[in-house]
Amino acid sequence: MVELYRGSGRRTNSVPFVSRSAELRRLDAALQHMGAGGPALVDITGEAGIGKSRLLAEFSTLARRRGAAVLRGRATEYERHSPFQPFADAFADLDQRVLRVFPSLRELLPVLRGRAEPSGEPWNRDRFCLYRATADALRRIRGARLVVVLDDLHWADPASLELVDHLVRHPVKAPFLLVVSRRDRQAPAALTTALARGADTGAVLRISLGPLDERDCVEELARDLPQQRAAEMYAASEGNPLYFLALLTAHRTARLPGPPVRDGGPPAGLEALLLDELAPLDPIERSTVEAAAVLGDHATADLIAALTGSPVPDVVEALRGVMRRDLIRTDQAGRRLALRHPLIRALVHDSTDPWRRQELHRRAAAELAEAGAPLAERAHHIERSLTGWDPEAAAILTSAAGQTAVTAPAASAHWLGAVLAILPNTPGHLDKRRELMLMRAGALGTTGALWKSRDLFHRVIDMPAGNEDGEDGEDALRTSAVVQCAVIERQLGRYAEADALLRRELDRRPGPSPSQRIGLVIEWCCRAQFVARFPDVREELAEALRGARDLGDGLGEMGALTLAAMSEAYEGDTAEARRLARTTAGLADALTDGDLAGLCEPLVRLAWTEVMLDRYTDAERHSDRGAEIARRTGRFYVLSQLLLCKAYAHFLTCRVTTALELADEAATIARALGSGELLGFTLAIRSLFLMQARPPGDPDVLAAAEEAAAAAEGTGESWWSTLARSLLAFAAMGAGDPHRARDVLLDAGGGRDLPRLQPSLRPEFLELLVAAALAVGETEEAEHAAERALKEAEQLDLPTRRAAALRALGRIEAHRGDPAAAGRAFAEAARESALSGATLREAQSLLFGAAFTRAAGDGAGAAAMWRRARRQAAEGGATLLVALADQQRPEVLGDTDGSAEPSGPAAGLAQLTSREREIAELVAEGLTNQAVASRLCLSPRTVESHIACVYRKTGVPSRAALATLVARHRVTAPGTPPPS
């Protein structure tokens, strides 16, 4: 049990590998199943010194013996604000030999390989695009196997943690394995949550390292000691190998031990033991070790010589000495140097004379600048060297913050905070302080720290006036802070607070300039639109539009026009919305990308307006253009909305697979931004896509919709949160629970006319209410909802809304037993959907109407409807519709498929017992379980048991689908189609 593999003879493996054979076997199994259904990531946890790094070293050796390429990186305590540091550490080992085997890795961005961005190439890739590009490069690995090992991930920077989270959520299906180690109790909550979620889905294999086995520890590591003494040391170490070895060293050199090691770091006793290892060093050896501690895992003899001022030969000789003492080790290739353990580095770094440490960091920054190292790497050392205000150092940190604002905003916010901490608090620096605070608040907002961002914006707004010469600039910064703060308040669902903030600024005397006032009014009206109170501010917005045109303010004009267009579409004034959208689209299309750089949110509103007006091609075009600008400028809040808008256009035009992919990216961004309302809205719409992408009754659909509703819970009464709660009804209906679907709709919508719901979408929800009401036996309510849907659709004058109303009517006609009328209604709904290119709704309508058309005697027409619907659904990845079409095939096509025997659900229906058939008939009539139980003198539990048997035999997923199946096999007419 001692070890499966000895070390390679390097200094790092001079101590036997003890008591970890079971863990190594689990890692070997993961290695054997790479890309073949095994875990995509292995998570190794344990306290400091427990042996995580040693296990990784042994596994790396094993993986290489198995023919895999292994890249190793490490997160470090003092570089935790350097973007993607552990990944850059690992991918820095990519040489031409490795790249020939894995050519797709050439596409990794320079920031992931620890390199500066090529000269002249803008730093404009957003971090979410970078995550997808990285996963795509890994996904295209072929032939050989690649293992990436990242040690000490509890110290990783936020950007690295987000990349790990992305790889957990979207496991790479390729011969690739990511292995990470971390201290569980010191790991950030976001990392722990991501890895726990991955363990639940099977994407992550977790290996927890506990204390070493006493027998192995004593027999293998302390053979030269009396067994009783070794056992005492084992008990004192609590099985922690780092402390056990330190105790052995102490015993052999007659030094005293301290208390056991703990997860938070070394206790005083262990610290004393480790520092005693430095005592025998001569001055050049000591300075070499100190320089290595400053440089971290990137130390080289040349850099150490530059930092210490010693000749390179002398440094090389000193390195030989400290390597013999096992204080410094080399990597596998023998190129890079590092102190033996992170605890050693921490103790050396922190025990170095503070003034000398600062000077070493200053020299490191200068040497790295000379070598052309990335700005972020230099910024780390500059920050560590600061002792007071240094304009040159502040300029470099500010540049680093600007360079990483899009790719790693957490690092950007940190470096701006470092500059603000040393910026003199004098009137002469007030404008600079205001500017830096504004930049930092924006960066914090994109990391998900919305409350910190909001509080910092408030501080900027409350700052005193600066120099009189800069009054215009000061007002512009203040106005920008107010508008950005109001957007953050919106993301937090605090609409009343946003209203008060904007209203106070508009009423301020002396107030903002006319152009600044326009921006404030537009944001104030936007807040009103979100809470469905646009009619209250319609005149103020019209006045702002006139003012923008008078001033020649194109930015203000676009903002006002798009807000007016979207609001009128929301309110149901289709004619006015069309007019405004045409005008706005003309303006947007005439502008260059540079002109549109500040118009990301207006493009969001324009694209959503076009979706609501059934203009999907225009919506997709403007979404694409806006998304490209948003990525380049780091406007992630609007990027998620633009992606979701494009996804919705893809969904309605029956491109379900790409719609779901876009929605997944939008959801990833929404999660990172920390806005519950945005996340709930995004996940709710995604649940619609997921329903069509999965077979009937898939439980993931309901779970996704419930997560969306929970995320939006408590975020206020905006139309986003209302929509998120309402869309849960679709999932509930698909899960076979019409009672819940009806309750959700009536509660979120505010009653049977659904007055709280967006007027432009109300016909679709009324159609769903018709289906739910019929399923639970509320016929009068269903008829009222269908009538209301027809009236709403007539007012909206949009093909897709008329189609929804016609489908609702078709359901009513089917319930009345008139298959011919039902078939005509669904056929007309399909024609209306086709007018606008809403292919998914067309296929839906055709599929619903095919059975009724056949029941009315038109077999050829029914077959044509069915074939067209199934082809459209299959081509668009609408799995739900394909499955429903296949269930219908025998009934719709009759014997034309070459088989007269019933199959699938129809065959299951024939297998029902007389009691099960009786209950199925009553369910098809819309009776509840309680009503069925009362009519048949059975208990509700017995009825539920019979219905479960019916579901199992027929394979249908819901009451609505069962009703459809039963009705189709009656002589009179087929039944009600499943919900949309």
Side-chain angles (χ1 to χ4, degrees):
M1 184 176 173
V2 176
E3 60 183 11
L4 292 179
Y5 303 96
R6 292 280 177 174
S8 61
R10 294 183 296 121
R11 176 66 63 180
T12 47
N13 289 332
S14 59
V15 177
F17 181 54
V18 174
S19 195
R20 298 295 187 205
S21 18
E23 290 86 350
L24 196 57
R25 280 196 296 270
R26 296 181 70 190
L27 282 164
D28 192 18
L31 182 68
Q32 299 304 318
H33 292 89
M34 288 170 60
L41 186 148
V42 180
D43 173 29
I44 299 175
T45 67
E47 65 182 22
I50 203 66
K52 301 184 295 297
S53 298
R54 183 57 190 276
L55 177 61
L56 292 178
E58 294 297 326
F59 171 65
S60 298
T61 300
L62 171 61
R64 290 187 181 99
R65 288 176 179 171
R66 298 275 197 242
V70 180
L71 304 176
R72 295 192 62 180
R74 179 193 297 272
T76 50
E77 183 176 7
Y78 298 104
E79 289 83 12
R80 63 177 67 185
H81 299 294
S82 298
F84 303 105
Q85 194 267 332
F87 285 96
D89 194 24
F91 290 127
D93 289 335
L94 287 174
D95 55 26
Q96 290 304 313
R97 179 184 59 83
V98 177
L99 289 173
R100 279 195 296 272
V101 179
F102 306 106
S104 66
L105 299 186
R106 296 179 187 275
E107 299 171 21
L108 292 174
L109 297 183
V111 68
L112 282 179
R113 298 181 61 183
R115 298 181 178 182
E117 196 78 3
S119 178
E121 186 171 335
W123 187 285
N124 60 6
R125 300 171 181 88
D126 72 85
R127 65 193 201 266
F128 304 105
C129 182
L130 184 149
Y131 305 153
R132 294 195 319 280
T134 302
D136 184 60
L138 296 172
R139 195 172 290 113
R140 287 187 283 112
I141 288 175
R142 296 289 184 272
R145 294 182 293 175
L146 176 66
V147 177
V148 173
V149 175
L150 302 181
D151 203 357
D152 289 331
L153 207 63
H154 52 277
W155 280 323
D157 59 281
S160 294
L161 297 182
E162 283 190 353
L163 177 51
V164 170
D165 180 78
H166 182 87
L167 294 174
V168 170
R169 289 183 183 276
H170 308 280
V172 172
K173 300 186 187 308
F176 166 76
L177 184 67
L178 177 63
V179 184
V180 305
S181 76
R182 62 190 173 94
R183 300 178 195 170
D184 201 10
R185 285 178 287 176
Q186 285 184 259
L191 175 62
T192 301
T193 300
L195 293 173
R197 183 179 58 252
D200 290 341
T201 63
V204 174
L205 168 66
R206 184 173 186 182
I207 298 177
S208 298
L209 300 187
L212 291 178
D213 179 80
E214 179 177 0
R215 178 181 174 183
D216 292 335
C217 201
V218 170
E219 291 183 359
E220 288 296 318
L221 301 179
R223 292 177 178 175
D224 58 324
L225 297 184
Q227 190 169 1
Q228 180 61 34
R229 179 59 179 144
E232 291 172 358
M233 290 183 183
Y234 175 83
S237 72
E238 297 183 353
N240 185 290
L242 176 67
Y243 193 53
F244 184 76
L245 291 171
L247 288 172
L248 285 177
T249 301
H251 173 79
R252 290 165 179 152
T253 57
R255 289 185 275 124
L256 296 176
V261 70
R262 300 299 179 201
D263 191 46
L270 179 58
E271 181 176 335
L273 291 177
L274 296 176
L275 285 175
D276 278 351
E277 294 189 55
L278 305 177
L281 302 182
D282 62 33
I284 190 171
E285 288 177 333
R286 176 68 188 232
S287 64
T288 296
V289 170
E290 290 174 346
V294 165
L295 290 167
D297 289 345
H298 303 289
T300 64
D302 289 342
L303 273 177
I304 291 173
L307 265 62
T308 60
S310 302
V312 173
D314 293 351
V315 169
V316 170
E317 188 60 33
L319 282 170
R320 290 194 179 103
V322 295
M323 289 175 70
R324 282 193 294 269
R325 297 178 184 276
D326 197 25
L327 284 169
I328 288 180
R329 298 171 175 173
T330 62
D331 63 4
Q332 183 77 25
R335 293 193 298 265
R336 292 188 292 172
L337 304 166
L339 285 153
R340 181 179 78 229
H341 193 279
L343 290 178
I344 299 285
R345 183 191 179 193
L347 290 170
V348 172
H349 187 275
D350 293 347
S351 64
T352 302
D353 177 85
W355 291 274
R356 174 169 172 74
R357 184 172 62 234
Q358 289 163 355
E359 178 61 19
L360 288 172
H361 277 293
R362 187 192 64 76
R363 292 181 183 180
E367 290 298 321
L368 290 170
E370 184 71 21
L375 194 56
E377 192 174 337
R378 294 160 52 196
H380 154 69
H381 290 289
I382 287 173
E383 180 190 355
R384 290 277 176 180
S385 69
L386 291 174
T387 58
W389 174 238
D390 182 340
E392 184 178 348
I396 295 174
L397 288 174
T398 303
S399 295
Q403 192 180 75
T404 57
V406 174
T407 308
S412 179
H414 172 78
W415 286 324
L416 289 168
V419 176
L420 284 165
I422 62 170
L423 184 67
N425 191 16
T426 62
H429 292 90
L430 186 60
D431 291 341
K432 186 65 175 177
R433 180 173 298 278
R434 183 183 285 108
E435 179 185 344
L436 292 173
M437 288 172 67
L438 198 60
M439 290 174 60
R440 186 166 191 263
L444 287 169
T446 62
T447 66
L450 296 181
W451 281 101
K452 288 183 178 179
S453 174
R454 175 249 186 210
D455 292 346
L456 194 53
F457 277 127
H458 272 253
R459 286 176 55 195
V460 175
I461 295 166
D462 290 338
M463 288 179 74
N467 299 327
E468 291 185 5
D469 293 341
E471 185 176 337
D472 290 343
E474 174 198 318
D475 278 350
L477 285 176
R478 177 187 173 90
T479 300
S480 178
V482 170
V483 171
Q484 290 184 68
C485 187
V487 172
I488 294 293
E489 297 282 22
R490 270 203 277 138
Q491 293 183 58
L492 290 167
R494 291 162 51 89
Y495 292 97
E497 289 78 3
D499 176 71
L501 178 69
L502 293 161
R503 192 70 263 172
R504 186 188 76 165
E505 189 66 15
L506 287 166
D507 293 340
R508 182 170 59 90
R509 294 293 180 270
S513 69
S515 61
Q516 292 162 1
R517 184 176 185 82
I518 289 168
L520 290 165
V521 169
I522 290 172
E523 178 56 33
W524 182 66
C525 294
C526 185
R527 179 271 324 161
Q529 189 245 5
F530 264 86
V531 292
R533 293 177 184 167
F534 173 69
D536 297 345
V537 300
R538 184 181 271 119
E539 288 305 317
E540 284 85 349
L541 184 60
E543 183 180 346
L545 176 58
R546 288 190 293 270
R549 285 171 170 166
D550 290 343
L551 292 171
D553 180 1
L555 187 70
E557 183 180 5
M558 277 283 293
L561 276 171
T562 55
L563 182 56
M566 185 176 182
S567 299
E568 297 296 359
Y570 176 99
E571 294 294 331
D573 190 343
T574 303
E576 180 65 5
R578 282 196 184 109
R579 184 187 69 80
L580 291 167
R582 281 195 298 269
T583 302
T584 309
L587 289 174
D589 293 343
L591 295 173
T592 66
D593 286 351
D595 294 330
L596 289 171
L599 293 171
C600 287
E601 193 153 18
L603 284 173
V604 170
R605 294 193 288 259
L606 174 59
W608 273 115
T609 301
E610 289 166 335
V611 164
M612 287 191 281
L613 295 175
D614 295 347
R615 292 168 55 183
Y616 308 124
T617 301
D618 290 338
E620 187 172 352
R621 178 165 55 87
H622 290 127
S623 293
D624 280 339
R625 195 173 185 193
E628 184 178 346
I629 296 168
R631 290 187 190 282
R632 191 164 60 244
T633 57
R635 311 279 179 89
F636 300 122
Y637 176 61
V638 296
L639 175 59
S640 64
Q641 298 174 58
L642 287 160
L643 292 170
L644 194 62
C645 181
K646 180 179 179 180
Y648 200 69
H650 277 222
F651 172 71
L652 291 174
T653 53
C654 205
R655 290 173 283 172
V656 176
T657 303
T658 53
L660 193 56
E661 290 172 354
L662 288 163
D664 283 340
E665 184 183 356
T668 296
I669 297 171
R671 289 183 194 278
L673 293 178
S675 170
E677 189 173 71
L678 175 62
L679 180 60
F681 174 67
T682 304
L683 292 178
I685 293 181
R686 178 186 176 274
S687 71
L688 280 181
F689 309 163
L690 189 66
M691 176 181 286
Q692 286 295 338
R694 298 291 180 85
D698 190 302
D700 287 349
V701 175
L702 183 60
E706 287 175 334
E707 181 188 3
E713 191 69 31
T715 59
E717 290 300 321
S718 75
W719 70 272
W720 274 8
S721 60
T722 300
L723 189 63
R725 293 193 298 272
S726 300
L727 287 173
L728 175 60
F730 283 94
M733 196 71 183
D737 193 346
H739 287 280
R740 185 182 185 190
R742 175 177 174 270
D743 290 345
V744 165
L745 271 180
L746 294 178
D747 178 62
R752 68 177 191 168
D753 288 342
L754 310 182
R756 288 183 194 158
L757 289 180
Q758 175 178 347
S760 60
L761 289 180
R762 204 174 286 151
E764 279 89 340
F765 285 101
L766 287 166
E767 177 197 355
L768 179 60
L769 183 58
V770 169
L774 288 175
V776 301
E778 294 288 346
T779 304
E780 186 276 331
E781 181 180 271
E783 291 176 342
H784 173 82
E787 182 181 349
R788 183 73 182 178
L790 288 167
K791 290 181 179 177
E792 296 267 1
E794 184 180 353
Q795 292 173 359
L796 290 169
D797 189 27
L798 289 166
T800 54
R801 308 323 185 264
R802 285 194 294 272
L806 286 165
R807 287 193 299 271
L809 177 62
R811 294 174 188 276
I812 296 296
E813 298 291 4
H815 183 76
R816 291 170 178 167
D818 189 344
R824 287 193 299 271
F826 284 116
E828 182 61 24
R831 285 191 289 272
E832 289 286 350
S833 299
L835 285 175
S836 61
T839 310
L840 182 80
R841 300 306 187 202
E842 180 188 357
Q844 223 167 23
S845 303
L846 289 169
L847 191 60
F848 291 174
F852 298 108
T853 301
R854 180 173 178 81
D858 185 0
M865 292 171 71
W866 182 90
R867 288 194 179 93
R868 179 174 175 81
R870 195 191 185 286
R871 177 179 57 77
Q872 289 175 328
E875 290 175 352
T879 302
L880 175 67
L881 293 183
V882 171
L884 294 175
D886 290 344
Q887 288 177 11
Q888 283 187 349
R889 180 182 179 109
E891 292 75 35
V892 175
L893 299 187
D895 294 336
T896 58
D897 64 345
S899 173
E901 293 297 322
S903 61
L909 199 62
Q911 298 172 13
L912 300 183
T913 65
S914 58
R915 175 64 84 181
E916 289 168 351
R917 181 64 189 234
E918 185 179 28
I919 290 174
E921 291 281 355
L922 294 175
V923 168
E925 292 178 15
L927 270 67
T928 65
N929 288 1
Q930 182 64 53
V932 172
S934 298
R935 180 175 295 190
L936 300 179
C937 299
L938 299 173
S939 71
R941 187 176 296 275
T942 300
V943 171
E944 290 173 2
S945 177
H946 281 302
I947 291 176
C949 291
V950 171
Y951 285 170
R952 187 171 60 253
K953 290 180 179 180
T954 61
V956 299
S958 66
R959 298 174 76 91
L962 177 60
T964 301
L965 178 64
V966 171
R968 285 182 190 137
H969 287 269
R970 292 176 182 151
V971 176
T972 53
T976 304
S980 56

